[in-house]
Amino acid sequence: MAGGCSIRAIWILNSLDAVVFSRRFPVVEKRWREACKHENENPSDDSLSYSVFSLLPTDSELGAAFVERKQREASARGFGIRVSQSSEGSDSWVDDPITRHIIGLYVNKEEEGDRNLLWPLTLHIKGNYFILVLPLVEPRHLKAYARLCKRSDCGSAVRGDESLSSLLLDLPSITGAFMVAHAIGDIIGADVADPEVVVSVAPSVGGLLDSLTGGIGISGISSRAKPVAAPVASLVPSSAAVTGTVAADAPKIGSRPLDKDGLRTFISSSMPFGTPLDLSYSNIFAIKVNGFSASDLPPSDLKQPAWKPYLYKGKQRMHFTIHETVHAAMYDRDEIPDSILVSGQINCRAELEGLPDVSFPLTGLNTAHIESLSFHPCAQVPEQGADKQAVMFSPPLGNFVLMRYQASVRLGPPIKGFYQLSMVSEDKGAFLFKLHLMEGYKSPLAMEFCTVTMPFPRRRVVSFDGTPSIGTVSTAEHSVEWKIVTSGRGLSGKSIEATFPGTVTFAPWQIQRLPSSRSGFGIVDEDSDVETENSTNMVNVEEFLMEKMNNDLPPADLEEPFCWQAYNYAKVSFKIAGASLSGMSIDPKSVSIYPTVKAPVEFSTQVTSGDYILWNTLGKCPFVAAENF
């Protein structure tokens, strides 16, 4: 049972905590009942040798248990760590942040007594819905988690004998359950766009159409005969679905209605008998629309993989795109080192007839200092050298992610320098930027645009004074934006230094306090004499903290006047083309296809900024403390 992944059941609840969709897999459930019977007949010698809960709850029982957990944990996700409101047997009692995403429910089953724990349930919030997926584990794993919920100590020691992290390492089905939950969430939110493949040269009409529609999320439109174009309206992500991905207990109203027939078709086709095989929505949709015919049969000596349900016919070509995202925290302090990391992926589109094998040497592994590496299931990695790694794969249809990796920046940060902000009065601050752009970077690397934003979420900007050495400045109600490099006037083959001194003036400071904010939310300081009321008066702790950050601000100090327990920073946004920052690369001439065909191979790169933060050198800043060995 420990190997692979099987799903016992799936539930989808709406914002009213009512089950609107459920699916159970009797074949998997039969395996669970047999394992429970064996476990109950041969109990272990531990202190928790009770009869394991062997039946799945009804939809109403599941909904009631979910509501009970929200009240017990103070939110749908819960605290994640043990606090004064945590009770023995709850997820937060385990004192591990993972319990915000892997939860347990106590189902009210009188005939089973109080040993009615349903675990592990993967929780994924998408739009207006809560998605719960229950994978198959062994009864001993359930008992191990129940022990963690009963222990008296808070947290687990490093390299301890028993902890939630060590328990999950034995459960690969958890990863499969999360993949199922996210696939269902993408269908619910209509977020099923293919990975972007950038075409660097002018292709034919069909290839251009494919690249454009893939980039904006219309993955079903294609120049090939099969699969048939998918309905555009069903595949374009809605704004409500995108904004609803935050971990809120009451997502915004207005999500698209649940397509139950589409979900049933996807689940039945992607995970027959509860075993996930192919979670690609585009493949499942194409099979549903087109079916199969005699003309789609592969050669008799080849086996057609699940990720390629149809054989391509048409002009043959291949596209590779390396897309890297740069995350950085720049401090400009001797006691805190700067942090910079590149998250990359190789997107591919192989329009090749038949079932060919594609291979190429991936260069740059040595210079990129790869920290983690993963491949698509279609890929094989037989050889690895000092700076090259041979990759061979049988490509699926459409755009797909061939490889994901994390690496360091080979040439140093593309933007480095410092940002300083100090308050000269309660409503006026003086700031200074001194930045170096593309220092050490040479052609073909080119920066297409670069923008620096100073956000002031707790203050309203009235005016600013200052002239940058390069670029233009604009203001919004709560931010100042400095456009250093604008689109159409890229920076290539040289580095520049940009400075920006100035002052910013805010509207007068106003303090708003909520009456009885401490006792009203059921949370008090440890040294407070106010006693909390019963747990039924406690609302969402996450909402309380956000409300306090926005409204219950303490008196302003000149050093930190902007917000409650937060920091001053500037965020950098940029885009770089021409090559990867990690050194990862693909030589189109080294790509070989078997059986041999004449297919042009295109390669492009794209580097964008993620969370690229310049922390205020003169203020507070969060950082990770290094572990001492």
Side-chain angles (χ1 to χ4, degrees):
M1 290 177 58
C5 175
S6 296
I7 305 299
R8 292 177 60 192
I10 300 170
W11 293 275
I12 301 178
L13 297 87
N14 59 15
S15 59
L16 301 178
D17 301 321
V19 177
V20 295
F21 180 87
S22 64
R23 178 72 161 86
R24 295 163 176 81
F25 298 93
V27 173
V28 181
E29 196 60 17
K30 182 179 179 181
R31 294 166 56 192
W32 169 254
R33 288 196 296 268
E34 291 176 351
C36 290
K37 180 180 179 181
H38 181 269
E39 182 72 18
N40 295 335
E41 291 176 351
N42 303 277
S44 58
D45 295 331
D46 57 41
S47 60
L48 209 66
S49 57
Y50 59 83
S51 298
V52 179
F53 186 59
S54 58
L55 299 177
L56 286 175
T58 63
D59 288 352
S60 59
E61 291 172 339
L62 190 284
F66 188 72
V67 171
E68 189 273 334
R69 183 191 182 276
K70 285 180 65 175
Q71 295 174 349
R72 184 177 70 247
E73 297 286 347
S75 70
R77 291 199 185 275
F79 299 106
I81 56 176
R82 191 183 299 186
V83 294
S84 59
Q85 288 77 26
S86 300
S87 59
E88 184 176 323
S90 63
D91 288 329
S92 59
W93 193 261
V94 180
D95 197 43
D96 195 310
I98 301 175
T99 59
R100 291 172 57 87
H101 308 280
I102 303 174
I103 69 174
L105 298 180
Y106 287 92
V107 183
N108 183 18
K109 281 281 189 178
E110 295 181 358
E111 62 273 17
E112 294 285 346
D114 61 350
R115 307 300 188 182
N116 51 4
L117 177 61
L118 192 66
W119 182 89
L121 285 161
T122 60
L123 170 63
H124 177 50
I125 299 177
K126 186 70 173 184
N128 208 35
Y129 300 100
F130 304 97
I131 304 167
L132 297 176
V133 179
L134 177 64
L136 178 66
V137 298
E138 295 185 21
R140 62 183 178 90
H141 294 132
L142 177 60
K143 288 187 175 184
Y145 182 76
R147 285 194 297 271
L148 296 178
C149 293
K150 298 291 184 180
R151 69 185 180 193
S152 60
D153 61 313
C154 187
S156 58
V158 178
R159 300 180 180 90
D161 294 335
E162 192 172 68
S163 65
L164 181 57
S165 298
S166 60
L167 176 61
L168 296 180
L169 286 176
D170 293 333
L171 300 175
S173 59
I174 296 290
T175 302
F178 272 114
M179 294 177 65
V180 171
H182 279 262
I184 293 175
D186 289 343
I187 296 174
I188 291 175
D191 188 13
V192 289
D194 287 343
E196 183 180 8
V197 174
V198 180
V199 180
S200 57
V201 296
S204 63
V205 175
L208 177 61
L209 177 63
D210 288 349
S211 62
L212 291 177
T213 55
I216 63 176
I218 310 176
S219 59
I221 299 180
S222 174
S223 62
R224 55 186 179 274
K226 285 197 173 187
V228 172
V232 174
S234 66
L235 292 178
V236 177
S238 64
S239 59
V242 174
T243 58
T245 57
V246 296
D249 287 354
K252 301 297 183 183
I253 302 299
S255 299
R256 61 197 299 268
L258 194 65
D259 183 6
K260 296 183 180 180
D261 291 336
L263 276 177
R264 292 189 186 98
T265 300
F266 172 77
I267 292 173
S268 299
S269 303
S270 62
M271 54 189 84
F273 305 106
T275 302
L277 297 179
D278 184 4
L279 297 177
S280 171
Y281 177 78
S282 58
N283 283 352
I284 301 302
F285 182 86
I287 293 172
K288 176 184 176 181
V289 172
N290 296 282
F292 295 95
S293 64
S295 60
D296 293 318
L297 296 177
S300 57
D301 57 336
L302 297 177
K303 182 178 180 181
Q304 190 166 355
W307 54 77
K308 194 169 187 178
Y310 296 99
L311 301 181
Y312 173 81
K313 294 182 180 179
K315 182 179 180 181
Q316 302 190 80
R317 54 198 162 185
M318 289 195 68
H319 308 280
F320 290 96
T321 294
I322 292 183
H323 187 184
E324 294 185 341
T325 304
V326 185
H327 307 276
M330 313 297 288
Y331 298 97
D332 190 47
R333 303 189 186 199
D334 295 335
E335 68 276 15
I336 306 176
D338 294 339
S339 174
I340 183 166
L341 179 68
V342 173
S343 297
Q345 64 185 45
I346 298 180
N347 300 337
C348 177
R349 183 182 184 94
E351 298 176 339
L352 302 173
E353 294 185 348
L355 296 172
D357 289 327
V358 180
S359 62
F360 64 90
L362 183 64
T363 59
L365 290 177
N366 189 31
T367 57
H369 300 290
I370 297 296
E371 298 181 7
S372 62
L373 194 65
S374 63
F375 291 89
H376 189 278
C378 72
Q380 303 178 36
V381 189
E383 299 179 6
Q384 182 175 354
D387 192 43
K388 292 185 179 181
Q389 184 161 350
V391 179
M392 183 172 64
F393 62 98
S394 177
L397 284 177
N399 301 355
F400 69 100
V401 179
L402 176 62
M403 188 186 81
R404 301 180 191 271
Y405 60 91
Q406 285 190 338
S408 60
V409 177
R410 173 173 52 103
L411 299 174
I415 293 99
K416 61 181 180 180
F418 64 82
Y419 161 57
Q420 295 180 347
L421 173 66
S422 62
M423 297 302 294
V424 296
S425 69
E426 191 169 296
D427 299 324
K428 188 174 184 180
F431 63 86
L432 172 63
F433 285 96
K434 187 174 183 179
L435 305 178
H436 293 272
L437 279 66
M438 302 293 284
E439 186 175 14
Y441 288 71
K442 299 180 180 180
S443 185
L445 287 165
M447 179 171 285
E448 296 186 358
F449 73 87
C450 179
T451 301
V452 177
T453 303
M454 289 185 289
F456 304 108
R458 309 292 183 252
R459 302 299 300 266
R460 182 169 61 87
V461 177
V462 175
S463 63
F464 89 96
D465 182 27
T467 302
S469 61
I470 185 174
T472 59
V473 182
S474 61
T475 62
E477 186 175 8
H478 296 286
S479 65
V480 176
E481 185 177 79
W482 175 24
K483 294 183 178 180
I484 304 176
V485 179
T486 58
S487 300
R489 303 181 64 179
L491 182 65
S492 177
K494 62 178 181 179
S495 62
I496 62 172
E497 179 177 315
T499 58
F500 183 18
T503 59
V504 58
T505 304
F506 306 101
W509 182 269
Q510 294 181 353
I511 301 176
Q512 299 179 358
R513 293 187 178 275
L514 295 177
S516 304
S517 60
R518 287 186 175 182
S519 60
F521 287 96
I523 296 178
V524 298
D525 296 334
E526 293 181 358
D527 57 350
S528 175
D529 294 331
V530 182
E531 295 183 359
T532 59
E533 300 178 4
N534 57 49
S535 59
T536 58
N537 293 331
M538 184 173 61
V539 299
N540 190 320
V541 174
E542 297 165 347
E543 292 181 358
F544 160 68
L545 292 176
M546 292 302 298
E547 192 75 10
K548 186 173 181 61
M549 289 174 64
N550 285 292
N551 299 320
D552 194 20
L553 300 174
D557 295 328
L558 294 182
E559 291 78 16
E560 290 289 334
F562 293 111
C563 47
W564 179 76
Q565 288 187 353
Y567 309 89
N568 314 132
Y569 66 90
K571 185 172 184 179
V572 184
S573 302
F574 59 84
K575 181 178 180 180
I576 299 175
S580 67
L581 298 193
S582 65
M584 299 284 281
S585 181
I586 297 174
D587 183 3
K589 296 181 181 179
S590 65
V591 177
S592 60
I593 304 172
Y594 180 83
T596 304
V597 295
K598 291 184 178 180
V601 179
E602 300 176 9
F603 171 69
S604 61
T605 58
Q606 181 174 284
V607 180
T608 56
S609 58
D611 291 327
Y612 203 103
I613 303 298
L614 301 174
W615 291 105
N616 179 17
T617 307
L618 304 179
K620 296 181 180 179
C621 59
F623 65 96
V624 177
E627 182 177 359
N628 296 322
F629 294 96

